[in-house]
């Protein structure tokens, strides 16, 4: 979809000489008809004031594909050409579309013909499975009974530990415990699926205490070995507010003789903080008993500045979406900088999660962030690997 006749003629010449099969469409409605049956591999559209359909294209493709027999057809790759729109704005639109499972590429105004051709050649030379297909993963078939069984079968629901580092010194500071579930039929279940299933069936607190128990065992072993590392575990607002939450955690830790300051509880953003008094009571109790309290995923969902100003956190964990984009996106960088300033002003420890690139690491370090976590530093590790590899993990290489 291009608005400019001269550009269309130019594309015609180039695509014909590259022997590619294509057609022009003038409206999204016309495109919808072509998309039916999944015969279209790539859709190219300019995004400009003259062609506002371009910006609507990802949302429309998602809608067409949802209508076209749930998950059966291959989704086309979408190529958005920069017209009279700022490049950064278009990149952000593409990122939001990709979060929705669409394959969206962006080509700059300058040299856009060669940019499009490069993408088309890449797609044509990729094996068909490289095309975006909606995956059937079977998670939807998981039931309450599956999770109940998983929680009571030793080893089925386990934790992995992702190391966290002090950025100034490169020394290991601790780890975050993340839930993992290996289901016999479905295979490895993503944390977010496990957590959502637990919430849906009122098993959020059972999952939390299962994870806390596994974490306490690791901390006990570390404490016996004289290791002063801290481990963070995740909790949603509704679980934190359950009446027996804090007494049970204190009891479990006390019985093992564990030092409360080795555990940080991260409040995740997934549940609304409906009852602020309840949250304030639970977090204050945790802090009074010496546990750490972290505001996780700051800047997205329910993890808001309002909560930060009112609840007794000692750590601010900036959401990975800002950290991952900061090196390339000035808007994300600005939010990251102000979150770091906020944590300094409030006397909180700052943590950047989602550090994936050396540029990202250099940026958060130069901005004064204290702790870092991300695939670049270390992926989440099985407990045995974490403990066995401690000498190597102790310092960033
Ligand atoms: P989270 O607490 O923000 O945890 C960080 C997530 O980011 C983890 O995904 C981790 O594997 C992933 N991650 C780490 N480094 C990178 C990186 O460099 N790039 C990217 N793109 N991702 C990175 P995971 O394990 O899938 O967990 C997802 C979310 O599920 C967690 O986000 C947390 O909200 C929730 N979750 C995980 N374990 C538990 C749990 O035991 N209880 C509860 N309530 N929620 C949990
Ligand atoms: Mg977390
Ligand atoms: Mg997080």
């Amino acid at each position: 979809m291009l608005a400019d006749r001269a550009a269309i003629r130019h594309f015609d010449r180039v695509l014909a000489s590259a022997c590619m099969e294509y057609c022009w469409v003038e409206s999204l409605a016309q495109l919808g008809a072509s998309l039916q049956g999944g015969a279209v591999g790539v859709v190219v559209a300019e995004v400009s004031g003259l062609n506002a359909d371009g910006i609507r294209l990802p949302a429309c493709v998602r809608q067409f594909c949802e209508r076209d027999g749930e998950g059966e057809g291959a989704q086309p790759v979408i190529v958005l050409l920069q017209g009279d729109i700022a490049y950064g704005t278009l990149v952000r639109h593409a990122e939001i579309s990709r979060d929705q499972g669409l394959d969206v590429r962006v080509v700059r105004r300058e040299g856009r013909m060669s940019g499009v051709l490069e993408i088309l050649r890449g797609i044509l030379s990729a094996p068909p499975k490289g095309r975006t297909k909606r995956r059937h993963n079977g998670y939807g078939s998981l039931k309450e009974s599956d999770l109940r069984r998983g929680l009571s079968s030793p080893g089925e629901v386990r934790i992995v530990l992702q190391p966290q580092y002090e950025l100034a010194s490169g020394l290991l500071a601790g780890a975050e415990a993340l839930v993992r579930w290996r289901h016999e039929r479905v295979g490895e279940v993503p944390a977010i699926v496990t957590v959502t299933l637990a919430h849906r069936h009122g098993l959020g607190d059972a999952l939390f205490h299962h994870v806390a128990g596994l974490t306490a065992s690791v901390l006990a072993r570390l404490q016996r070995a004289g290791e002063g590392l801290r481990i963070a575990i995740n909790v949603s607002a509704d679980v934190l507010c359950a009446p027996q939450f804090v007494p049970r955690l204190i009891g479990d830790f006390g019985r093992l003789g564990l030092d409360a300051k080795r555990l940080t509880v991260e409040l995740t953003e997934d549940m609304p903080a409906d009852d602020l008094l309840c949250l304030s009571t639970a977090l204050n109790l945790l802090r009074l008993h010496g546990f750490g309290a972290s505001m996780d995923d700051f800047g997205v969902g329910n993890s808001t500045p309002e909560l930060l100003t009112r609840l007794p956190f000692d750590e601010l964990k900036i959401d990975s979406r800002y950290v991952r984009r900061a090196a390339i996106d000035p808007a994300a960088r600005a939010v990251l900088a102000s979150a770091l300033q906020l944590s300094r002003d409030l006397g909180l420890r700052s943590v950047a999660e989602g550090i994936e690139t050396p540029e990202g690491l250099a940026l958060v370090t130069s901005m004064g962030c204290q702790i870092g976590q991300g695939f670049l530093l270390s992926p989440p590790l099985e407990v045995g690997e974490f403990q066995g590899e401690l000498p190597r993990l102790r310092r960033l290489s």
Side-chain angles (χ1 to χ4, degrees):
M1 287 190 286
L2 283 180
D4 172 0
R5 291 279 139 207
I8 289 182
R9 280 197 298 277
H10 189 36
F11 265 87
D12 274 336
R13 276 197 302 279
V14 177
L15 292 176
S17 67
C19 299
M20 289 181 187
E21 217 178 291
Y22 68 96
C23 67
W24 294 105
V25 291
E26 287 186 3
S27 67
L28 288 169
Q30 210 185 331
L31 176 69
S34 320
L35 282 178
Q36 244 142 38
V40 176
V42 186
V43 186
V44 182
E46 182 181 43
V47 181
S48 66
L50 275 177
N51 185 13
D53 275 354
I55 206 80
R56 292 173 56 215
L57 183 59
C60 289
V61 166
R62 181 181 63 175
Q63 201 183 351
F64 291 140
C65 292
E66 273 165 7
R67 242 189 268 149
D68 179 26
E70 209 23 52
E72 290 309 316
Q75 291 173 352
V77 176
I78 299 167
V79 182
L80 299 179
L81 307 183
Q82 180 194 12
D84 57 6
I85 185 170
Y87 183 67
T89 308
L90 193 54
V91 166
R92 284 197 282 276
H93 189 60
E95 273 174 7
I96 291 169
S97 311
R98 281 196 289 271
D99 288 346
Q100 297 289 306
L102 297 163
D103 187 346
V104 180
R105 325 278 175 93
V106 173
V107 175
R108 272 189 196 278
R109 197 182 302 118
E110 304 77 32
R112 63 189 192 169
M113 193 60 65
S114 53
V116 172
L117 279 177
E118 198 179 309
I119 289 173
L120 292 177
R121 287 200 189 99
I123 292 166
L124 288 174
S125 62
K129 66 178 169 41
R131 301 266 185 82
T132 310
K133 259 214 183 250
R134 220 161 296 158
R135 286 185 293 273
H136 287 269
N137 42 33
Y139 303 141
S141 66
L142 289 169
K143 294 191 290 291
E144 177 184 351
S145 53
D146 289 305
L147 185 55
R148 279 191 191 281
R149 200 209 45 238
L151 288 171
S152 56
S153 316
E156 191 171 324
V157 177
R158 65 191 197 286
I159 54 166
V160 289
L161 296 170
Q162 185 171 32
Q164 297 181 332
Y165 287 91
E166 275 174 19
L167 292 173
S169 63
L171 292 176
L172 184 66
E176 177 175 10
L178 298 158
V179 71
R180 293 291 180 266
W181 177 16
R182 191 173 295 125
H183 185 271
E184 54 180 10
R185 175 172 44 82
V186 171
E188 201 70 46
V189 183
I192 214 69
V193 175
T194 308
V195 173
T196 308
L197 188 69
H199 282 295
R200 191 177 311 137
H201 297 295
L203 292 172
D205 49 343
L207 178 66
F208 175 85
H209 290 290
H210 183 79
V211 167
L214 296 171
T215 304
S217 312
V218 175
L219 280 170
R221 283 197 291 275
L222 290 173
Q223 197 168 292
R224 275 198 300 275
E227 299 283 355
L229 296 173
R230 192 166 18 85
I231 301 187
I233 49 177
N234 293 281
V235 68
S236 312
D238 58 339
V239 173
L240 188 58
C241 281
Q244 283 311 305
F245 175 86
V246 179
R248 190 168 163 190
L249 188 64
I250 293 167
D252 289 349
F253 255 62
R255 258 189 304 282
L256 286 170
L258 289 172
D259 182 355
K261 69 170 181 293
R262 299 283 163 238
L263 189 78
T264 291
V265 175
E266 294 185 4
L267 178 63
T268 57
E269 59 77 26
D270 54 344
M271 289 281 160
D274 290 331
D275 190 340
L276 206 54
L277 178 57
C278 213
L279 267 185
S280 175
T281 307
L283 284 170
N284 273 298
L285 275 173
L286 285 177
R287 294 299 310 283
L288 287 169
H289 282 86
F291 294 96
S294 174
M295 173 152 230
D296 199 2
D297 314 314
F298 183 67
V300 303
N302 297 296
S303 191
T304 59
E306 204 296 278
L307 282 194
L308 187 67
T309 56
R310 305 197 68 189
L311 296 174
F313 296 107
D314 64 346
E315 180 182 282
L316 180 66
K317 211 168 168 189
I318 302 157
D319 191 74
S320 61
R321 273 158 270 200
Y322 301 106
V323 177
R324 277 186 280 138
R325 288 182 7 229
I328 49 161
D329 178 356
R333 192 156 59 243
V335 175
L336 176 63
S338 60
L340 288 170
Q341 186 57 47
L342 197 57
S343 66
R344 274 190 290 273
D345 291 346
L346 298 177
L348 307 175
R349 183 172 55 235
S350 51
V351 183
E353 59 180 351
I355 300 176
E356 292 181 346
T357 60
E359 297 75 31
L361 174 62
L363 187 68
V364 291
T365 308
S366 70
M367 289 168 119
C369 181
Q370 290 166 301
I371 307 281
Q373 179 183 343
F375 294 152
L376 179 78
L377 312 181
S378 170
L381 303 170
E382 298 294 334
V383 167
E385 199 182 353
F386 181 86
Q387 291 180 159
E389 298 274 313
L390 257 184
R392 176 183 65 80
L393 294 172
R394 228 179 276 284
R395 179 183 281 281
L396 275 179
S397 47

